[in-house]
């Protein structure tokens, strides 16, 4: 691949274990501060491990973290030891009453009678080579975890001292403090005591970069379809396979394992920043991937046994207590990575996805098979009849339980009935998938273009199930992971070694005080914006540089709303202000000179307040292009507003209080208080009680979440209108298999033709991008077969009239 030129300016890298420039800097520490932090030799090194600062906050303090780490070590010993004991030290003939035991005092068999003598047990273990091999591997792994535990305890002890002495927060206060409060204190401490010696002031973005350095790379690689996680299987069709084991191996290869691309936690190796030896580095990386894949293959039996045992001990009790839990759904690992914004912390991501869980479950339940429903109802009837008879007999005479397999039959029948009920839909359910999908979009913020208008199709449902999968499927994939992971590493990831080398070279930028970070995480519209996502005229990015699915624009808006005190660059500020002003103006009908809306002001503007109280002004949304576009956009934002109102957990509590005025006053008081002290507006004010502070924090958090949701809906609406206009111009992109391709109303065709057209080039895998009609081959081997799907032309989709049925 030819060298990719970027306008990012790198600093000179350092091969030492300290961040660049630290060895040549002297730092004056005031005596008072020195007496407080005398045990911390390198404050910047402490702050460099900001991930530990964040992790200690998320684990609710040092004591909770310590207990959690200890129990993980004990849990590993318990699983291995208990399994070996059950396999070699129990006489199951006695336990199952297949063999009689002679007693002198009683004929009753006790549990110790089923245990083999110690010498017999140890002899059986010594004579079993597989058990010895498992014990050796488990012992090595446990020692590795023990050393890691000791290292983590030392690091967390330093972070604990940092919290107490520097941030003035005790461990008992930590579980009740928000991360925004901790972050605001870190920013303030930097201004006073220079805990980071490379720059005078820290920004919220610097802190996020240090915490999410490697996760931002993973999000970018998934966004650019670089990681081999999508496959086309003969029977299942397109399938996504991304498990914890596969994720662990990716991180081991790229970031922290022996021979990885990074020389430490903050610096990419210097040779990977140069393009002259890219082929040699690609061969070296391919060889390393091969050896790691072989190691996974050799350890496959041990890992597989561990996965089975861990799943058995973890889920058996849950399945017995709640058999329907396997029919519940969860956000897949791939879904969490695909839906994650750049610079989005773990608790922010999980909070956002949790808010969309209810709507996602309702959407998936809309597609229950009628045939399967009929079968499930009848199976449940027959199983319930048998269960009723057994329960009645048990109530009449408890000796029935002593009959062989009666108790097992009762348990299995109960499980069968619970499973059948999961396939029977609620009789009060209303089928409105389009509205449910719009509610989901308001929270997850990302979805492919062809989903909109096709929410009722099984193809959309199957693709969404890749993001929102059954818990049973998640467990099954984790069990298969030890077998499938070596295959993916050896036969799929190895072929992408050159593309991976080019990715890390082209999209790594060195930031002062932070180190090497993914350039996508800078959220620079000019460098990585996409013209189809409101970045037209503001971005200079080529197709290779553009983030897909509006990732740059949506991530920028999310970070700006989540961190209102952050001061972005001038070009970024202009984009944010223009978008907020446009959303505010079109939602409220205000004149064009309305000031941009911001949550950092004294109180939220009318857009957010109207969303929570039920606006009538959202129906008046207007666009400058065409009246038909305005009607569709108004309906979309109105649906989004009603959906957000119905799902907002705070709106009902605010209505119970009578109005939003009290919350507005609390928000204004907090904003003014924190603005004077330089603290985040969402932190708890010192003059408020704990309850009032938590309520204010909840109110402001909900305002931020709702604001981001409406901005995401608005950006998707504009993107849809632009895409529809481009589709109407390029009719040769239609696919004959799409039944809805000829159902576009004439007025929509006319309005779309009058809009500004954006040329959308087909995306191909990393390493070779087609641009301006010319394909530049940037790799030395054929493209993976599973990535050819990205070259397919876009679909033409039916524009459905948006109904206003209530689905909640």
């Amino acid at each position: 691949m030819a060298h990719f030129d970027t306008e990012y300016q790198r600093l000179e890298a350092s091969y030492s274990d300290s961040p660049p420039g630290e060895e040549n800097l002297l730092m004056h520490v005031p005596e008072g501060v020195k007496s407080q932090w005398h045990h911390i030799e390198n404050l910047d090194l402490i702050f460099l491990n900001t991930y530990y600062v964040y992790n200690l906050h998320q684990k609710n303090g040092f004591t909770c973290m310590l207990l959690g780490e200890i129990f993980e070590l004990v849990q590993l010993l318990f699983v291995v030891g208990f399994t070996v004991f059950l396999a070699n030290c129990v006489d199951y003939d006695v336990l199952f009453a297949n063999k009689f035991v002679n007693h002198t005092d009683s004929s009753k068999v006790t549990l110790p009678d089923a245990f083999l003598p110690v010498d017999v047990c140890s002899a059986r273990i010594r004579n079993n080579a597989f058990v010895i091999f498992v014990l050796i591997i488990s012992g090595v792994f446990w020692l590795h975890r023990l050393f890691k535990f000791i290292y983590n305890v030392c690091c967390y002890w330093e972070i604990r001292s940092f919290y107490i002495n520097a941030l003035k927060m005790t461990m008992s206060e930590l579980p009740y403090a928000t991360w925004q409060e901790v972050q605001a204190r870190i920013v303030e401490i930097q201004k006073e005591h220079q805990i980071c010696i490379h720059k005078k002031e820290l920004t919220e973005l610097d802190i996020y970069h240090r915490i999410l350095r490697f996760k931002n790379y993973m999000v970018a690689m998934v966004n650019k379809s670089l990681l081999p996680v999508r496959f086309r299987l003969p029977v299942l069709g397109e399938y996504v396979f991304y498990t914890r084991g596969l994720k662990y191996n990716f991180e081991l290869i790229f970031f922290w394992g022996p021979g990885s691309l990074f020389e430490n936690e903050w610096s990419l190796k210097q040779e990977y920043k140069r393009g002259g030896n890219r082929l040699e580095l690609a061969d070296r990386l391919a060889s390393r991937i091969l050896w790691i894949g072989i190691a996974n293959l050799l350890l496959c039996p041990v890992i597989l046994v561990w996965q089975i045992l861990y799943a058995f001990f973890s889920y058996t009790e849950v399945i017995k207590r709640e058999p329907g839990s396997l029919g519940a759904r969860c956000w897949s690992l791939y879904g969490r990575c695909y839906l994650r914004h750049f610079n989005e912390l773990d608790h922010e991501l999980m909070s956002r996805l949790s808010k969309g869980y209810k709507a996602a479950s309702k959407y998936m339940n809309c597609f229950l098979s009628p045939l399967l429903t009929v079968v499930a109802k009848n199976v449940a009837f027959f199983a319930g009849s048998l269960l009723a008879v057994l329960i009645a007999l048990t109530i009449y005479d408890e000796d029935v339980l002593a009959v062989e397999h009666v108790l097992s039959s009762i348990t299995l029948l109960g499980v069968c009935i619970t499973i059948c009920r999961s396939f029977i839909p609620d009789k009060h359910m209303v089928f409105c998938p389009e509205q449910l999908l719009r509610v989901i979009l308001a929270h997850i913020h990302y979805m492919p273009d062809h989903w909109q208008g096709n929410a009722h199709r099984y193809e959309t449902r199957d693709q969404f199930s890749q993001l929102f999968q059954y818990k049973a499927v998640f467990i099954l994939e984790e069990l298969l992971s030890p077998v499938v992971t070596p295959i993916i590493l050896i036969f799929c990831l190895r072929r992408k070694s050159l593309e991976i080398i080019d990715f890390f070279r082209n999209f790594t930028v060195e930031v002062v005080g932070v180190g090497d970070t993914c350039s996508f995480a800078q959220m620079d519209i000019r460098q990585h914006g996409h013209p189809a996502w409101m970045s037209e005229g503001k971005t200079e990015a080529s197709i290779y540089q553009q983030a897909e699915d509006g990732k740059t624009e949506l991530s920028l808006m999310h970070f700006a709303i989540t961190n209102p005190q952050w001061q972005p660059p001038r070009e970024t500020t202009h984009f944010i202000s223009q978008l907020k002003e446009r959303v505010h103006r079109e939602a409220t009908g205000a004149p064009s000179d309305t000031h941009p809306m911001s949550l950092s002001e004294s109180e939220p503007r009318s857009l957010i307040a109207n969303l929570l109280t039920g606006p009538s002004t959202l129906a008046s949304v207007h666009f400058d292009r065409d009246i038909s576009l305005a009607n569709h956009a108004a309906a979309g934002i109105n649906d989004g507003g009603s959906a957000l109102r119905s799902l907002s957990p705070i709106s009902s509590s605010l209505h119970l209080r009578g109005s939003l005025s009290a919350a507005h006053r609390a928000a204004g008081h907090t904003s003014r208080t924190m603005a004077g002290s330089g603290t985040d507006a969402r932190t708890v004010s010192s003059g408020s009680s704990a309850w009032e502070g938590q309520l204010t924090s909840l109110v402001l958090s909900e305002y931020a979440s709702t604001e981001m949701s409406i901005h995401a809906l608005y950006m998707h609406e504009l993107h849809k209108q632009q895409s529809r206009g481009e589709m109407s111009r390029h009719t040769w992109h239609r696919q004959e298999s799409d039944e809805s391709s000829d159902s576009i109303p004439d007025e929509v065709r006319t309005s779309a033709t009058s809009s500004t057209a954006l040329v959308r080039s087909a995306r191909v895998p990393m390493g070779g991008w087609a641009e301006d009609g010319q394909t530049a081959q940037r790799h030395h081997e054929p493209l993976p077969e599973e990535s050819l799907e990205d070259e397919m032309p876009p679909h033409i989709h039916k524009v459905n009239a948006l109904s206003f049925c209530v689905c909640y």
Side-chain angles (χ1 to χ4, degrees), residues 725-770:
E726 179 62 19
M727 290 176 186
S728 64
R729 287 175 176 267
H730 299 82
T731 55
W732 55 85
H733 283 312
R734 298 183 183 180
Q735 292 187 2
E736 295 179 359
S737 61
D738 190 350
E739 299 176 357
S740 60
S741 60
D742 298 327
S743 59
I744 302 179
D746 295 336
E747 60 272 15
V748 175
R749 297 177 187 268
T750 305
S751 62
T753 306
S754 62
S755 63
T756 303
L758 292 174
V759 179
R760 302 178 60 196
S761 302
R763 180 166 61 87
V764 295
M766 293 286 297
W769 291 89

Side-chain angles (χ1 to χ4, degrees), residues 653-717:
S653 62
L654 291 178
H655 283 299
L656 291 176
R657 290 184 168 277
S659 66
L660 286 170
S661 58
H664 288 176
R665 287 194 297 271
H669 172 69
T670 303
S671 299
R672 290 189 294 271
T673 302
M674 295 306 168
S677 61
T679 309
D680 194 323
R682 294 187 180 88
T683 59
V684 179
S685 62
S686 58
S688 302
S689 65
W691 184 86
E692 291 175 347
Q694 291 180 2
L695 176 62
T696 303
S697 177
L698 176 62
V699 170
L700 293 173
S701 176
E702 285 300 319
Y703 282 146
S705 175
T706 307
E707 184 180 8
M708 182 58 210
S709 296
I710 197 62
H711 279 81
L713 289 172
Y714 181 81
M715 294 173 70
H716 273 273
E717 187 67 28

Side-chain angles (χ1 to χ4, degrees), residues 57-345:
H57 173 267
Q58 294 299 303
K59 291 185 176 181
N60 300 315
F62 181 80
T63 304
C64 294
M65 181 282 307
L66 183 64
L67 287 177
E69 296 273 354
I70 292 175
F71 278 120
E72 285 185 5
L73 291 174
V74 175
Q75 189 179 84
L76 177 60
L77 287 177
F78 173 79
V79 171
V80 175
F82 189 52
T83 303
V84 172
F85 174 80
L86 291 177
N88 299 276
C89 302
V90 177
D91 191 345
Y92 289 97
D93 289 332
V94 174
L95 193 64
F96 296 147
N98 295 327
K99 182 173 66 175
F100 295 100
V101 179
N102 295 324
H103 290 277
T104 58
D105 54 347
S106 175
S107 61
K108 187 176 182 179
V109 178
T110 60
L111 190 61
D113 293 333
F115 298 159
L116 296 176
V118 177
D119 54 345
V120 177
C121 178
S122 58
R124 293 181 64 176
I125 293 175
R126 288 194 302 267
N127 295 332
N128 194 326
F130 180 74
V131 172
I132 297 297
F133 177 72
V134 170
L135 289 176
I136 293 175
I137 298 298
S138 301
V140 172
F141 180 71
W142 190 84
L143 290 176
H144 167 72
R145 292 291 299 270
L146 178 63
F147 291 136
K148 185 178 179 181
F149 164 74
I150 297 174
Y151 173 78
N152 287 340
V153 169
C154 296
C155 291
Y156 282 121
W157 182 260
E158 294 291 337
I159 300 302
R160 174 185 177 275
S161 302
F162 179 75
Y163 267 104
I164 296 174
N165 297 324
L167 302 183
K168 305 299 182 183
M169 299 180 67
T170 63
M171 293 296 100
S172 59
E173 298 173 352
L174 199 58
Y176 308 102
T178 63
W179 170 250
Q180 281 74 19
E181 183 177 358
V182 175
Q183 182 175 266
R185 295 195 183 191
I186 293 176
V187 173
E188 286 301 307
I189 288 295
Q190 168 66 18
K191 296 178 181 178
E192 299 176 7
H193 305 303
Q194 289 290 112
I195 61 175
C196 177
I197 63 180
H198 306 299
K199 56 195 310 183
K200 184 177 180 179
E201 293 185 359
L202 285 173
T203 65
E204 291 81 359
L205 188 58
D206 294 335
I207 298 175
Y208 274 69
H209 278 167
R210 292 194 178 214
I211 299 173
L212 301 169
R213 187 190 314 273
F214 297 151
K215 291 184 179 179
N216 281 329
Y217 275 108
M218 294 295 292
V219 172
M221 285 191 283
V222 169
N223 180 257
K224 300 297 288 184
S225 302
L226 183 58
L227 297 180
V229 295
R230 305 184 70 92
F231 308 95
R232 188 169 294 278
L233 303 179
V235 178
L236 299 178
E238 187 182 78
Y239 192 82
V240 173
F241 188 87
Y242 189 57
T243 62
R244 288 181 292 188
L246 186 60
K247 176 176 176 287
Y248 177 86
N249 279 274
F250 286 158
E251 295 175 349
L252 178 70
I253 294 170
F254 300 144
F255 304 123
W256 53 267
S260 64
L261 279 62
F262 279 74
E263 60 182 346
N264 48 47
E265 294 181 0
W266 58 82
S267 179
L268 185 69
K269 291 180 179 178
Q270 188 65 21
E271 58 263 29
Y272 292 100
K273 299 180 181 180
R274 299 189 295 264
N277 57 344
R278 50 193 292 273
L279 296 178
E280 178 185 350
L281 293 175
D283 292 337
R284 188 192 309 174
L285 178 62
S287 177
R288 182 167 176 268
I289 294 174
L290 175 61
W291 284 111
I292 291 180
I294 293 176
N296 276 269
L297 193 60
L298 294 177
L299 295 175
C300 175
V302 178
I303 301 175
L304 182 61
V305 171
W306 165 258
Q307 292 279 48
I308 294 174
L309 293 176
Y310 186 81
F312 175 78
F313 291 131
S314 298
Y315 299 112
T316 301
E317 190 275 333
V318 177
I319 294 174
K320 180 182 180 299
R321 177 167 39 90
E322 298 179 7
S325 59
L326 292 179
R329 291 185 176 268
C330 61
W331 296 103
S332 65
L333 285 181
Y334 172 78
R336 296 178 189 179
C337 196
Y338 171 78
L339 299 174
R340 189 172 197 148
H341 293 296
F342 292 121
N343 303 309
E344 185 175 20
L345 295 173

